Amino acid sequence: MSILIKNVLFNDKTIDIYIEGKEIKQIGAGLSFPADKILDGSRKAVIPGFVNAHTHAAMTLFRGFGDDMPLMPWLEQKIWPNEAKMTREDVYWGACLEMIKSGTTTFFDMYQRPRVTADVTEEMGLRGIIAGVCFDGFDKEEAEKCKRHNERLIQDVDNYSKR
């Protein structure tokens, strides 16, 4: 799919942007390419993508859920019990849609089901730094289990692009 955005503001100049697939191919004034879609960028501006340096991405599904509560009761009574019920599909749909809508192109995530978040990040063309998490409750056996899980996640990096 190709897109030509005409007459968009960039650094105080009106330009055109030609995109093929997921790549910007050319930027300049008066571009003329046969594109699948031509968009009028008049009265719009091109800005860099946003970077979110601290996310629990799929938690967007819990927005407004007990948000008037103090932190610990909120976590213990609302969030943790419901996180325990989250499925792969929940994390898949909750992970990146809001970021795409808001213009976030890169994020650092530390949340449950990091492989799912990595899969959807790859599929959506975003850039993600995705970390495993560990809630060990200061239990040595649980800490070792978390450590082994996170070591396996590091080995999975080669299954994804450099994004």
Side-chain angles (χ1 to χ4, degrees):
M1 165 139 199
S2 60
I3 301 171
L4 179 59
I5 304 171
K6 301 288 289 178
N7 304 314
V8 69
L9 187 63
F10 178 70
N11 288 341
D12 295 323
K13 295 179 187 173
T14 300
I15 60 153
D16 303 332
I17 303 171
Y18 179 66
I19 303 165
E20 281 184 5
K22 295 180 182 180
E23 293 184 27
I24 296 172
K25 291 292 187 174
Q26 194 164 347
I27 298 174
L31 297 181
S32 179
F33 290 97
D36 297 320
K37 192 175 224 178
I38 298 175
L39 302 174
D40 180 12
S42 301
R43 301 187 60 197
K44 307 235 181 334
V46 175
I47 61 172
F50 295 117
V51 176
N52 187 337
H54 183 129
T55 67
H56 308 285
M59 282 191 80
T60 60
L61 300 172
F62 297 125
R63 180 155 296 117
F65 191 59
D67 61 355
D68 58 341
M69 298 174 70
L71 177 62
M72 289 314 293
W74 176 72
L75 288 170
E76 293 167 346
Q77 297 166 23
K78 297 289 185 182
I79 299 305
W80 292 339
N82 285 289
E83 282 179 335
K85 299 173 192 170
M86 287 180 78
T87 66
R88 179 187 199 290
E89 187 170 349
D90 293 331
V91 174
Y92 179 89
W93 289 110
C96 295
L97 292 178
E98 184 176 75
M99 285 188 267
I100 292 168
K101 185 176 180 182
S102 68
T104 300
T105 60
T106 305
F107 67 100
F108 176 70
D109 192 69
M110 57 233 99
Y111 198 51
Q112 59 176 298
R113 300 184 186 253
R115 286 183 183 91
V116 178
T117 303
D119 290 344
V120 73
T121 300
E122 184 84 5
E123 186 176 327
M124 296 298 138
L126 296 172
R127 290 185 300 259
I129 298 94
I130 301 166
V133 295
C134 182
F135 290 103
D136 61 17
F138 301 103
D139 177 281
K140 288 184 182 205
E141 189 175 303
E142 190 63 29
E144 279 302 313
K145 182 179 166 185
C146 288
K147 180 181 171 185
R148 287 190 304 276
H149 175 73
N150 286 323
E151 288 170 343
R152 286 190 303 274
L153 290 174
I154 291 168
Q155 293 172 355
D156 286 350
V157 168
D158 292 337
N159 296 329
Y160 298 96
S161 72
K162 292 181 180 182
R163 291 190 323 269

